[in-house]
C-alpha cells in the first residue's frame, strides 16, 4: 500500500512564491499528506502545499486529516489558538490539535485507525509539547469521520476527510510558539458561551471546529466516560 501511494505523488507547485510566509511553516508545506478518493481510499501522496491550494481543491483534491479533542480529569476541553504564522486559518481558535497523517508506512495504517492515532500523538508533541507517554495510542477513542470543504482566503483552504479523536488525559503543555498562540481549558458551558459570543467579540473559529461543535460535540462530551455506543466508525458525514 505504501509503495502504491508514494508512486502516485503530486507536487506541481514548485514555482509558487511563498516568500511572504513564515519559513518554518513553508517548510512544513513540503510534508506529504494522504490523497483520497471520495470514500476515504488512499490514492496517492500529495504535498501539504498542493492539498491546501484552492485551485486544486476546486478540482476535487481531497486529503486525510484528524481532529483531537483532549479533556482533562475535570472533563474540561483543551482549546488552542493557532499561531499568526500559520498559513491556513491563522489566529483562529480551534480544538486541541488538528493536522494530517503523512504518507508514510506508520501513518498509512488503517487498522483500528492506527496511522491517524500515531499522527495525532506526533502532532500533540510537535504543537503542544505533550509527551507521547501522556497520550498513549490505546487511549485515543475514534468516533467518526466528517467530510468538509472551507476556503481560508483566496489562495488556501481545506478539503478533508477528518477523523475525530477523543482522549482523556492530564498533560503537561509546552506549546510551540510557531504553532500555537494561546491555549485554555473550558467547561461545556464555557465553550458554549465562548462560541455564542465569538462573532460579537471578533473571535475567529476554524470551520471544522464549528462544524463539529454544531453537529456532534456536546452529545459526545456529555457521555465522555461512556463513548463506545456513540462510535460511528463506518459513516463519512458529508458536511459540505
Amino acid at each position: 500500500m505504501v509503495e502504491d501511494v508514494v508512486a502516485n505523488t503530486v507536487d506541481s507547485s514548485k514555482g509558487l512564491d511563498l516568500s511572504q510566509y513564515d519559513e518554518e511553516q513553508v517548510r512544513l508545506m513540503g510534508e506529504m499528506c494522504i490523497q483520497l478518493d471520495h470514500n476515504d481510499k488512499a490514492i496517492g501522496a500529495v504535498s501539504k502545499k498542493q492539498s491546501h491550494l484552492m485551485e486544486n481543491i476546486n478540482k476535487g483534491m481531497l486529503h486525510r486529516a484528524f481532529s483531537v479533542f483532549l479533556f482533562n480529569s475535570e472533563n474540561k476541553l483543551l482549546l488552542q489558538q493557532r499561531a499568526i504564522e500559520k498559513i491556513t486559518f491563522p489566529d483562529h481558535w480551534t480544538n486541541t490539535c488538528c493536522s494530517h497523517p503523512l504518507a508514510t508506512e506508520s501513518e498509512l495504517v488503517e487498522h483500528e485507525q492506527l496511522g491517524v492515532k500515531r499522527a495525532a500523538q506526533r502532532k500533540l508533541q510537535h504543537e503542544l509539547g505533550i509527551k507521547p507517554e501522556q497520550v498513549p495510542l490505546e487511549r485515543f477513542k475514534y468516533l467518526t469521520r466528517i467530510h468538509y470543504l472551507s476556503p481560508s482566503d483566496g489562495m488556501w483552504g481545506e478539503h478533508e476527510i477528518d477523523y475525530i479523536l477523543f482522549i482523556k488525559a492530564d498533560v503537561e503543555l509546552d506549546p510551540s510558539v510557531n504553532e500555537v498562540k494561546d491555549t485554555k481549558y473550558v467547561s461545556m458551558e464555557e465553550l458554549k458561551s465562548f462560541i455564542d459570543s465569538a462573532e460579537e467579540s471578533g473571535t475567529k473559529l476554524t470551520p471544522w471546529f464549528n462544524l463539529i461543535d454544531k453537529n456532534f460535540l456536546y452529545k459526545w462530551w456529555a457521555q465522555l466516560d461512556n463513548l463506545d455506543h456513540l462510535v460511528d466508525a463506518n459513516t463519512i458525514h458529508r458536511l459540505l
Side-chain angles (χ1 to χ4, degrees), residues 112-122 137-138 140-142 165:
E112 296 185 349
Q113 304 81 41
L114 187 57
V116 170
K117 293 172 183 177
R118 286 170 173 160
Q121 189 184 64
R122 171 177 59 81
L137 296 179
E138 63 271 17
F140 286 98
K141 173 66 72 173
Y142 164 66
L165 302 173

Side-chain angles (χ1 to χ4, degrees), residues 78-236:
L78 177 62
L79 303 182
Q80 68 153 281
Q81 184 179 23
R82 292 162 66 86
I84 60 173
E85 289 84 359
K86 300 288 281 187
I87 293 174
T88 58
F89 301 100
D91 213 32
H92 285 56
W93 281 93
T94 194
N95 50 287
T96 312
C97 181
C98 337
S99 191
H100 318 91
L102 302 180
T104 61
E105 184 172 2
S106 64
E107 295 189 8
L108 277 162
V109 178
E110 296 182 352
H111 178 66
E112 296 185 349
Q113 304 81 41
L114 187 57
V116 170
K117 293 172 183 177
R118 286 170 173 160
Q121 189 184 64
R122 171 177 59 81
K123 289 300 290 186
L124 283 167
Q125 183 171 32
H126 174 229
E127 294 186 5
L128 292 160
I130 298 172
K131 293 182 173 61
E133 56 267 27
Q134 295 183 330
V135 284
L137 296 179
E138 63 271 17
R139 295 274 293 278
F140 286 98
K141 173 66 72 173
Y142 164 66
L143 287 163
T144 195
R145 292 168 288 178
I146 67 168
H147 177 190
Y148 77 98
L149 188 159
S150 183
S152 176
D153 56 25
M155 179 179 289
W156 306 101
E158 294 284 4
H159 187 206
E160 302 180 328
I161 291 181
D162 191 11
Y163 285 61
I164 314 304
L165 302 173
F166 272 30
I167 187 167
K168 190 170 180 179
D170 289 319
V171 297
E172 298 174 8
L173 300 178
D174 183 19
S176 164
V177 295
N178 190 258
E179 292 285 333
V180 178
K181 182 177 179 180
D182 199 4
T183 62
K184 64 179 174 180
Y185 282 95
V186 292
S187 67
M188 192 183 300
E189 292 307 314
E190 287 169 339
L191 180 60
K192 289 178 180 178
S193 177
F194 180 66
I195 289 178
D196 288 346
S197 63
E199 185 174 353
E200 182 179 344
S201 66
T203 300
K204 295 178 285 188
L205 305 170
T206 61
W208 61 87
F209 184 40
N210 252 328
L211 287 169
I212 296 165
D213 174 82
K214 290 176 181 176
N215 290 280
F216 304 105
L217 179 57
Y218 299 108
K219 68 179 180 182
W220 291 334
W221 197 341
Q223 301 191 58
L224 188 56
D225 296 314
N226 185 31
L227 288 169
D228 286 349
H229 70 291
L230 295 174
V231 172
D232 186 3
N234 296 320
T235 302
I236 302 173

Side-chain angles (χ1 to χ4, degrees), residues 61-84:
M61 186 174 282
L62 177 65
H63 64 277
R64 187 172 290 159
F66 65 83
S67 287
V68 174
F69 290 73
L70 184 148
F71 302 84
N72 65 12
S73 55
E74 297 177 351
N75 287 355
K76 288 189 172 185
L77 172 63
L78 177 62
L79 303 182
Q80 68 153 281
Q81 184 179 23
R82 292 162 66 86
I84 60 173

